[in-house]
Amino acid sequence: MAAAASAQTVRIANQGDALSLDPHSLNESLQLSVDSNAYEALVGWNKKLQMEPRLATSWKQTAPTVWRFELRKGVKFYDGTPFTADDVVFTMGRIMADGSDMKSYGTDVKETRKVDEHTIEIETKAPQPILPQILSQVYIMSKKWCEANNATKPVDRRKGVENTASFKTNGTGPFHVRERQPGVRTVFVRNPNYWGKVDGNAQEVIFTPIANPATRVAALLSGEIDVMEPVPVQDIARVDSNPGTHVITGPELRTVFLGMDQKRDELLFSSVKGKNPFKDVRVRKAFYQAIDIEGIKKTVMRGQSRPTALMVGPGINGWTEAQDKRLPFDVEAAKKLMQEAGYGNGFEVTMNCPNDRYVNDGQICQAVAANLAKINVKINLQAETKGTYFPKILRRDTSFYMLAWTPSTYDSHNVLNAIMHCPDEKTGAGQFNLGSYCNPKLDELSARIGSETDQAKRNAMIKEAFQMHIDDVGHLPLHQQMLAWGVSKKVDLVQLADNFMPFKWITLKK
């Protein structure tokens, strides 16, 4: 029995950890991916990234601003509490509470109401044709359990606050957390009462953060772990040629970009006093044109990236090849722009970067710093683990930073609302626009995109909005990184372009 049990244990390593088990505390792909094994949304995505029913069995618009969801019957949370409409109403309120990092998912919602035990209606402020897609990462929590465990509000990662939901799970998903040691390991076990189908045979999953790339690769090659990601680009061939392992690669929907504080009259961390150089579009454009993105692709990413001019990539509705043309890399043009803006002699500014979140994130920032030195900008690079990095930049305690974004709806409105919208604490719009880029005309257009039901008109408006952002140089898009997972040949799994890893699709071969 012990041998059989161990044969169905999968050991997964990532360069970072999920910072919390609370599914509403941090809107970050790794955390949402990990938490999604214990929690579920009303709708989800299948292996082909097509939308499918989860805790809702069906949904329809009963009026231009009203969506009705029929809820799945017979579903129980891990503690045995029945799943009902009350839990959905509670959850929709919880994501808008203080401390929530998921407010942007509720921006368009006016009211969530219970029709009966297994029916709810969500009324939006204006017609919202993609509401089901928006709700695909709003994981439903038990009202009764949250109230009993003093977890009715999410933890606030910016303040380092924790509660029971940070360390324990009580979802409706296929797995449950048996053990949680933050930064060390998290052990998942199968939920024996799971309502749905499980395609894999993994009974236990041990998730371990291993920050050091060489250590992570060595653990895979020696058989200490079964799955790891990301594989460092320089080690892909080595892992692939090892007899017991291989690398699964594919394009990722995530776009890596740089943001700048465009709100403060004086930057927090700069040698420039009394004014903010990033408020000048010429400075932003100079930074853009000074970055040798092809050089980064070749030397840092070893070809495993796709340079981009847009904040979304192929696979996201609204992306067009015609619009995805970067400004030319031109140091002399950048110097001229800096001169025209009054910064011919350059300036110093601190750049904040994670070193364990994206593929080669720290090295990318080093390369950018070297590029910007050629236009007399001295970058004071502050690279750190994402555990301290995210709380800092989410407080907007930064002047120049790296971030990456995967639109959870696979639609451009997601990034327009979360990243490009003027920050609005009340509605949650612009929650991740950490440099506070602001163009009211773009916001007005984004609102119209959100409620437009004619697809051709909608895509034309998305194109117009993107052009505004391009002209403003609102952010500095870099690239879409490539996925690279190292996998034991004893394991079958599914790689999704959103970089989620559902444990229920993992099989250990005999």
Side-chain angles (χ1 to χ4, degrees), residues 388-502:
T388 53
Y389 177 75
F390 279 123
K392 177 187 295 179
I393 66 165
L394 290 173
R395 292 193 302 267
R396 294 182 166 79
D397 190 17
T398 182
S399 297
F400 187 35
Y401 62 92
M402 170 184 274
L403 196 62
W405 195 259
T406 304
S408 59
T409 56
Y410 314 115
D411 184 272
S412 292
H413 181 260
N414 176 270
V415 73
L416 286 166
N417 183 59
I419 300 289
M420 301 185 199
H421 198 288
C422 302
D424 185 333
E425 283 192 25
K426 187 176 180 181
T427 67
Q431 190 171 11
F432 300 92
N433 179 2
L434 305 180
S436 298
Y437 158 74
C438 194
N439 183 334
K441 289 183 179 179
L442 189 149
D443 291 357
E444 182 185 335
L445 193 55
S446 180
R448 286 165 51 205
I449 291 165
S451 59
E452 180 56 62
T453 55
D454 184 299
Q455 194 61 42
K457 287 182 182 178
R458 195 170 180 277
N459 283 342
M461 287 192 287
I462 289 172
K463 184 178 180 181
E464 185 182 348
F466 280 165
Q467 194 58 52
M468 287 182 187
H469 186 261
I470 289 168
D471 294 343
D472 288 343
V473 194
H475 295 81
L476 307 181
L478 296 177
H479 58 234
Q480 283 92 36
Q481 62 187 28
M482 297 290 284
L483 292 174
W485 296 1
V487 182
S488 164
K489 289 183 179 177
K490 298 176 182 177
V491 171
D492 278 337
L493 46 66
V494 177
Q495 185 182 75
L496 301 173
D498 61 4
N499 203 23
F500 274 53
M501 189 184 293

Side-chain angles (χ1 to χ4, degrees), residues 201 490 507-510:
N201 65 5
K490 298 176 182 177
T507 296
L508 282 95
K509 293 178 275 189
K510 295 179 181 178

Side-chain angles (χ1 to χ4, degrees), residues 158-273:
R158 296 158 184 77
K159 299 176 181 176
V161 180
E162 305 285 5
N163 65 23
T164 304
S166 308
F167 306 104
K168 296 181 179 180
T169 58
N170 184 42
T172 59
F175 285 82
H176 174 72
V177 172
R178 185 179 66 202
E179 177 190 342
R180 169 68 172 166
Q181 296 181 52
V184 180
R185 74 177 201 161
T186 304
V187 180
F188 288 81
V189 293
R190 276 273 283 274
N191 177 358
N193 300 313
Y194 180 54
W195 62 267
K197 180 184 177 185
V198 175
D199 287 345
N201 65 5
Q203 295 294 325
E204 179 184 66
V205 176
I206 302 173
F207 182 92
T208 308
I210 303 177
N212 185 282
T215 305
R216 206 163 59 246
V217 170
L220 179 69
L221 297 181
S222 68
E224 288 179 48
I225 58 174
D226 305 301
V227 181
M228 58 87 75
E229 67 112 356
V231 179
V233 290
Q234 65 271 19
D235 290 318
I236 289 176
R238 181 179 166 213
V239 173
D240 230 6
S241 62
N242 183 58
T245 60
H246 65 126
V247 178
I248 303 175
T249 59
E252 187 178 11
L253 298 176
R254 185 189 316 276
T255 297
V256 181
F257 62 91
L258 304 176
M260 303 145 289
D261 179 354
Q262 297 171 52
K263 183 177 182 181
R264 292 182 176 92
D265 292 328
E266 180 180 299
L267 293 175
L268 291 177
F269 309 106
S270 170
S271 61
V272 179
K273 302 303 174 188

Side-chain angles (χ1 to χ4, degrees), residues 20-23 39 94 141 145 151 155 163-169:
S20 174
L21 296 180
D22 188 325
Y39 290 100
R94 193 177 192 270
M141 298 185 74
W145 184 84
V155 304
N163 65 23
T164 304
S166 308
F167 306 104
K168 296 181 179 180
T169 58

